[in-house]
Amino acid sequence: MTYATGPGAFLIPLGMAAAAGLMGSIAVMRRMALASDALSHIALPGIAIALLVHVNPFLGGLIALVLGTVLVWAIEYRSRIPTDVVVGVIFSAALAMGSLLASGDELIEALFGAPNTSDSFNLIGLGAASLVIVFIVRYRSQLVIRLVSPDLARPAGINVPRLDLLYLLAFALTIALGLRYLGVLLMGSLIIIPAATAMRLGTNLRTMQTISVAIAMLATLSGMLLAPVLCLAAGPLVIVIAASIFFLSLAVRRA
Amino acid sequence: MLTRFENRPHALDVIGVSVAFGEVCVIDNVSFHVDVGSTLAIVGRNGSGKTVLLKALIGAVRASGTIRWAPETRIGYVPQKLDIQRDLPLTGRDFLNAKADVARAPATDAQRVAGLVNLSQSIVDQPIGTLSGGQFQRLLLAFALVGTPSVLLFDEPTAGVDEPEEKSVYALIHQLQQNEGLSVLVISHDMTQVQASADHILFLSHHGSYFGKTADMLNSERLQELHGPTVAHLRE
């Protein structure tokens, strides 16, 4: 087992964690926690195909996530089937296809991540994390009104279908960012667990989002630092730390 | 004799609007208009399509026919009771600031509208899921008022609030209309309020729709035949 070393190796995971914390804050308020977790599995067939044709798996996962996301959005708006139902069906299909196409170590790596991987996508990863953060900050007000009620959003001049598509695409990008470090199975958890903790502790939007980002970054940093010391895989350790913070938060009485 | 709105321009023209969900026609060929600064009450029994009509007017439901808002119309919409998660970490201030940001209104607008609807700063700083029914309705009204709308749409603005609060909300709407010169469309089952505040009535039913001045509608023999109890209530 190899581990990330040097200050530069932490930059992208921390950027990914910040993006995950912000994205999750909106997802949990929209009651998309389970759909979020399932959505990350859509990357699997893309990763499998990329491995088969010897292309960067991150790229394969990203393409599958973008296509899957657009499909989820289109089915939802055409058929009026709720997002979680559409995501549930596409998730199952993607998981089955991915399992058929990939095998052995490659599949394990895709499911749980490989933090030691180093490639030319570092700069793109940092750019993508920045893009997600800018999206949430730029569209925060629209997203807040949309999550309270789409019926309030439309008269306020918000293009709800367009906003939903952009949000899902930003969501897909956030998941793609974490695929290398946490894998398909765990990335959804880094989006949801810190935000779920922050939802318990925060009493307004600003504190909730700050707490969510802080927990995601803290869990990621401490997981990556502790993994070599404990001889454990970094990805699962990051999620165990995030989940531990969540359970600790249950002891805190909300103001 | 001219009524007080006879020569006013229209804030809204609706011509031959229909809405269907699959094979089911919910609204069939409805026409009416709203004069600038006037109040239109939309009445009818449950399932007659009142809420669907309002949603068609704000573009949330696809409709055929013509819906023409006056140029530069800014719409404020107060929906029927919303189900909000109790533990949502959003305060009234977050909610109003978000609307001010989207409407490109000054940052001070949130405070201004909270004052207009008599919401104290301590209530505005509470999470919206913890507000009482009446407080939340006032917050929704404040939300609609951010960005100085020219038209307000209310879908049963007092659903789920107690009687004293109901009177207070209607008084507030009336006061805002007088002070700000707003055009108002309101769905209501409260016929006393309709009679007291509406300049025109749009009556929706499965037999057709009827639009006219409040006094004329009350005297309509045809309406009395079709909707006796409701119209009788209005006449009382």
Side-chain angles (χ1 to χ4, degrees):
Chain A
M1 208 177 305
T2 54
Y3 301 98
T5 53
F10 292 94
L11 202 57
I12 297 179
L14 286 178
M16 166 204 78
L22 274 178
M23 187 54 68
S25 67
I26 302 294
V28 294
M29 287 195 284
R30 279 184 68 168
R31 304 186 200 198
M32 278 180 64
L34 282 175
S36 307
D37 197 37
L39 201 62
S40 60
H41 296 66
I42 294 174
L44 200 58
I47 293 171
I49 292 169
L51 289 169
L52 279 176
V53 297
H54 305 293
V55 176
N56 190 298
F58 167 79
L59 192 64
L62 177 63
I63 291 170
L65 278 166
V66 169
L67 291 177
T69 297
V70 172
L71 189 64
V72 167
W73 177 81
I75 292 175
E76 187 187 354
Y77 271 93
R78 279 188 169 274
S79 64
R80 302 274 169 197
I81 300 172
T83 308
D84 57 343
V85 176
V86 182
V87 171
V89 172
I90 294 178
F91 143 71
S92 310
L95 195 61
M97 279 170 63
S99 307
L100 286 174
L101 292 168
S103 62
D105 292 343
E106 291 171 342
L107 186 62
I108 295 295
E109 206 167 90
L111 289 174
F112 294 103
N116 55 311
T117 314
S118 171
D119 56 40
S120 58
F121 278 79
N122 284 358
L123 206 60
I124 297 174
L126 210 55
S130 309
L131 203 64
V132 171
I133 292 167
V134 167
F135 168 77
I136 295 287
V137 172
R138 166 75 182 76
Y139 285 92
R140 179 164 48 196
S141 296
Q142 295 195 23
L143 290 165
V144 163
I145 296 171
R146 160 69 180 86
L147 76 87
V148 172
S149 167
D151 287 342
L152 289 176
R154 288 184 188 92
I158 297 168
N159 184 334
V160 176
R162 179 174 162 272
L163 182 68
D164 282 352
L165 179 61
L166 288 176
Y167 176 73
L168 284 172
L169 286 173
F171 200 99
L173 195 57
T174 311
I175 291 168
L177 271 170
L179 290 179
R180 255 184 9 174
Y181 298 95
L182 297 173
V184 167
L185 283 184
L186 298 178
M187 186 51 198
S189 313
L190 190 67
I191 294 176
I192 295 310
I193 298 174
T197 313
M199 192 154 158
R200 277 195 50 73
L201 301 177
T203 51
N204 62 46
L205 185 64
R206 189 177 294 270
T207 56
M208 190 260 190
Q209 291 193 316
T210 306
I211 293 169
S212 181
V213 170
I215 293 173
M217 291 178 79
L218 178 70
T220 302
L221 186 64
S222 51
M224 291 183 75
L225 287 172
L226 284 174
V229 178
L230 302 173
C231 296
L232 293 170
L237 193 57
V238 167
I239 300 306
V240 167
I241 292 168
S244 303
I245 298 171
F246 172 79
F247 287 115
L248 282 174
S249 79
L250 296 179
V252 178
R253 190 184 291 271
R254 230 177 113 156
Chain B
M1 189 177 73
L2 291 178
T3 63
R4 65 185 176 118
F5 296 111
E6 205 84 359
N7 290 325
R8 289 203 181 185
H10 294 174
L12 169 68
D13 284 298
V14 173
I15 304 161
V17 162
S18 300
V19 176
F21 297 129
E23 299 294 309
V24 182
C25 181
V26 182
I27 295 173
D28 186 21
N29 197 28
V30 171
S31 298
F32 62 94
H33 67 265
V34 180
D35 295 317
V36 169
S38 73
T39 298
L40 169 74
I42 303 170
V43 299
R45 290 180 180 165
N46 290 337
S48 58
K50 304 183 295 295
T51 296
V52 172
L53 176 62
L54 273 203
K55 291 198 173 190
L57 296 181
I58 61 170
V61 167
R62 198 169 293 169
S64 61
T66 302
I67 296 171
R68 190 167 50 230
W69 291 99
E72 309 297 321
T73 296
R74 293 176 307 281
I75 298 172
Y77 175 56
V78 182
Q80 225 177 72
K81 196 170 165 241
L82 289 176
D83 285 327
I84 301 290
Q85 295 178 74
R86 200 163 170 75
D87 59 349
L88 204 59
L90 276 181
T91 62
R93 194 177 301 283
D94 288 330
F95 190 49
L96 297 177
N97 282 339
K99 173 75 185 294
D101 182 29
V102 169
R104 297 201 174 114
T108 52
D109 221 32
Q111 200 150 340
R112 180 185 70 86
V113 294
L116 280 178
V117 302
N118 304 322
L119 273 180
S120 69
Q121 294 305 308
S122 62
I123 290 173
V124 170
D125 283 325
Q126 282 181 32
I128 58 176
T130 64
L131 299 180
S132 71
Q135 288 168 342
F136 189 64
Q137 278 308 111
R138 281 171 187 269
L139 182 67
L140 287 177
L141 181 53
F143 180 87
L145 289 169
V146 173
T148 54
S150 51
V151 178
L152 281 179
L153 274 60
F154 294 96
D155 189 350
E156 294 188 46
T158 55
V161 301
D162 59 25
E163 203 180 326
E165 184 66 31
E166 188 178 324
K167 283 184 179 164
S168 166
V169 169
Y170 273 113
L172 191 59
I173 293 170
H174 186 66
Q175 185 191 341
L176 286 168
Q177 188 184 24
Q178 296 291 310
N179 295 345
E180 316 270 327
L182 303 171
S183 309
V184 173
L185 281 80
V186 58
I187 291 176
S188 181
H189 287 293
D190 186 336
M191 294 306 174
T192 314
Q193 290 297 337
V194 167
Q195 192 172 21
S197 62
D199 301 293
H200 290 85
I201 292 175
L202 173 67
F203 208 114
L204 293 180
S205 82
H206 296 301
H207 304 288
S209 63
Y210 304 90
F211 169 70
K213 290 172 193 159
T214 303
D216 296 343
M217 291 288 283
L218 297 181
N219 292 322
S220 163
E221 296 300 323
R222 173 80 176 131
L223 268 191
Q224 283 186 59
E225 275 173 38
L226 289 171
H227 309 287
T230 314
V231 176
H233 193 135
L234 275 168
R235 296 186 73 172
E236 284 162 17

